[in-house]
Amino acid sequence: MRLGVLISGRGSNLQAMIAACADPAYPAEIALVISNRADAAGLARAAAGGIPAMVIPDQDRREFAQQADARLRAAGVDLVCLAGFMRILDTAFVNAWRDRMVNIHPSLLPAFPGLHPQRQALAAGVRFSGCTVHFVRPEVDTGPILAQAVVPVHPGDDEERLSARILAAEHRLYPLAVRLVAEGRTRIVDDRVEIDGWRAPELAALNPAPPDMLVRPSG
Ligand code: GRF
């Protein structure tokens, strides 16, 4: 399966996909990286990985969509992966790639869509947050959920610490979710994702952890 990855910045999820695709057994390859920003650090990661990359400025949403669509098609892309792409996409573009475009968001959707989801999670006082890979629909951070990872909130967490913990999970989850799509194991039925041969974990995680696992304050 040929992937087109859309980025706007750091590109650490792109890096995780590059690493996954380096394994010959991985069923996908990155055909093209598109950034809407010339200063995106992810562009250097694409270059280092020998992956074709280009900048399409996004002053005009429709113009961006038309150019991106043409480039993705010319590159033979089967699946578009949004990886820290920070611009709302043109609805016609989203509909043209319906069920062939995925996104990763750093919360357990449908909780905390939009900007600063980690900050939203801390403000809400939740004990767990995480990340979600979902198929993309026109409304921001909505669409059939493909995979999620749960991450505990620790006492004293700030936005930076929680974001780092979630990001480490993102880097494991995104390649896994894309693998399932690339292997042809996913189907969307009634706006939910069915996965062939899916195994769910048995364990529930408790937070706070049970008493025997409590850490005693020192001193
Ligand atoms: C990630 O947290 C992703 O979930 C969100 O934007 C961030 C992008 O980080 N959509 P990076 O550019 O992949 O490092």
mmCIF file of all heavy atoms in Angstrom, residues 10-13 83-84 104-106 167 170, ligand 1:
data_model
loop_
_atom_site.group_PDB
_atom_site.id
_atom_site.type_symbol
_atom_site.label_atom_id
_atom_site.label_comp_id
_atom_site.label_asym_id
_atom_site.label_seq_id
_atom_site.Cartn_x
_atom_site.Cartn_y
_atom_site.Cartn_z
ATOM 1 N N ARG A 10 6.836 19.111 13.342
ATOM 2 C CA ARG A 10 7.923 18.263 13.857
ATOM 3 C C ARG A 10 8.104 16.950 13.116
ATOM 4 O O ARG A 10 9.209 16.504 12.851
ATOM 5 C CB ARG A 10 7.585 18.005 15.335
ATOM 6 C CG ARG A 10 8.550 17.241 16.131
ATOM 7 C CD ARG A 10 8.057 17.193 17.563
ATOM 8 N NE ARG A 10 6.672 16.719 17.621
ATOM 9 C CZ ARG A 10 5.956 16.653 18.743
ATOM 10 N NH1 ARG A 10 6.479 17.016 19.888
ATOM 11 N NH2 ARG A 10 4.706 16.211 18.719
ATOM 12 N N GLY A 11 7.017 16.262 12.835
ATOM 13 C CA GLY A 11 7.116 15.040 12.035
ATOM 14 C C GLY A 11 7.573 13.809 12.791
ATOM 15 O O GLY A 11 8.101 12.870 12.183
ATOM 16 N N SER A 12 7.352 13.754 14.091
ATOM 17 C CA SER A 12 7.804 12.555 14.815
ATOM 18 C C SER A 12 6.929 11.342 14.469
ATOM 19 O O SER A 12 7.424 10.209 14.455
ATOM 20 C CB SER A 12 7.842 12.797 16.327
ATOM 21 O OG SER A 12 6.548 12.902 16.865
ATOM 22 N N ASN A 13 5.656 11.563 14.182
ATOM 23 C CA ASN A 13 4.832 10.428 13.724
ATOM 24 C C ASN A 13 5.247 9.989 12.323
ATOM 25 O O ASN A 13 5.239 8.790 12.016
ATOM 26 C CB ASN A 13 3.344 10.785 13.771
ATOM 27 C CG ASN A 13 2.771 10.626 15.165
ATOM 28 O OD1 ASN A 13 2.628 9.515 15.657
ATOM 29 N ND2 ASN A 13 2.476 11.745 15.816
ATOM 30 N N ALA A 83 -0.503 13.478 9.785
ATOM 31 C CA ALA A 83 0.416 13.272 10.916
ATOM 32 C C ALA A 83 0.866 14.646 11.411
ATOM 33 O O ALA A 83 1.899 15.156 10.988
ATOM 34 C CB ALA A 83 1.600 12.410 10.485
ATOM 35 N N GLY A 84 0.041 15.221 12.270
ATOM 36 C CA GLY A 84 0.347 16.570 12.730
ATOM 37 C C GLY A 84 0.093 17.588 11.641
ATOM 38 O O GLY A 84 0.790 18.596 11.561
ATOM 39 N N ILE A 104 -4.200 10.916 13.244
ATOM 40 C CA ILE A 104 -3.928 10.579 14.650
ATOM 41 C C ILE A 104 -4.136 11.823 15.500
ATOM 42 O O ILE A 104 -3.722 12.920 15.122
ATOM 43 C CB ILE A 104 -2.521 9.974 14.855
ATOM 44 C CG1 ILE A 104 -2.380 9.489 16.305
ATOM 45 C CG2 ILE A 104 -1.412 10.940 14.468
ATOM 46 C CD1 ILE A 104 -1.305 8.440 16.507
ATOM 47 N N HIS A 105 -4.833 11.619 16.629
ATOM 48 C CA HIS A 105 -5.164 12.735 17.509
ATOM 49 C C HIS A 105 -4.787 12.347 18.944
ATOM 50 O O HIS A 105 -5.103 11.228 19.374
ATOM 51 C CB HIS A 105 -6.669 13.038 17.415
ATOM 52 C CG HIS A 105 -7.092 14.191 18.267
ATOM 53 N ND1 HIS A 105 -6.860 15.504 17.905
ATOM 54 C CD2 HIS A 105 -7.711 14.242 19.473
ATOM 55 C CE1 HIS A 105 -7.330 16.307 18.851
ATOM 56 N NE2 HIS A 105 -7.847 15.566 19.812
ATOM 57 N N PRO A 106 -4.146 13.251 19.688
ATOM 58 C CA PRO A 106 -3.647 12.873 21.021
ATOM 59 C C PRO A 106 -4.676 12.974 22.144
ATOM 60 O O PRO A 106 -4.465 13.654 23.159
ATOM 61 C CB PRO A 106 -2.468 13.834 21.227
ATOM 62 C CG PRO A 106 -2.825 15.035 20.440
ATOM 63 C CD PRO A 106 -3.644 14.566 19.268
ATOM 64 N N LEU A 167 2.694 10.898 23.227
ATOM 65 C CA LEU A 167 3.408 10.838 21.943
ATOM 66 C C LEU A 167 4.127 9.500 21.774
ATOM 67 O O LEU A 167 4.142 8.925 20.682
ATOM 68 C CB LEU A 167 4.403 12.002 21.841
ATOM 69 C CG LEU A 167 5.009 12.241 20.455
ATOM 70 C CD1 LEU A 167 3.945 12.667 19.446
ATOM 71 C CD2 LEU A 167 6.114 13.294 20.526
ATOM 72 N N GLU A 170 1.637 7.233 20.584
ATOM 73 C CA GLU A 170 1.284 7.526 19.186
ATOM 74 C C GLU A 170 2.232 6.820 18.228
ATOM 75 O O GLU A 170 1.818 6.267 17.203
ATOM 76 C CB GLU A 170 1.356 9.035 18.917
ATOM 77 C CG GLU A 170 0.312 9.859 19.635
ATOM 78 C CD GLU A 170 0.380 11.328 19.245
ATOM 79 O OE1 GLU A 170 0.510 11.632 18.049
ATOM 80 O OE2 GLU A 170 0.303 12.186 20.148
HETATM 81 C C1 GRF B 1 0.783 14.679 17.429
HETATM 82 O O1 GRF B 1 0.538 14.770 18.812
HETATM 83 C C2 GRF B 1 -0.472 14.275 16.685
HETATM 84 O O2 GRF B 1 -1.285 13.406 17.417
HETATM 85 C C3 GRF B 1 -1.162 15.605 16.516
HETATM 86 O O3 GRF B 1 -0.136 16.521 16.257
HETATM 87 C C4 GRF B 1 1.084 16.040 16.824
HETATM 88 C C5 GRF B 1 2.073 15.946 15.713
HETATM 89 O O4 GRF B 1 3.346 15.616 16.170
HETATM 90 N N1 GRF B 1 -2.168 15.528 15.486
HETATM 91 P P1 GRF B 1 4.465 15.195 15.115
HETATM 92 O O5 GRF B 1 4.544 16.314 14.090
HETATM 93 O O6 GRF B 1 4.061 13.894 14.497
HETATM 94 O O7 GRF B 1 5.721 15.086 15.918
#
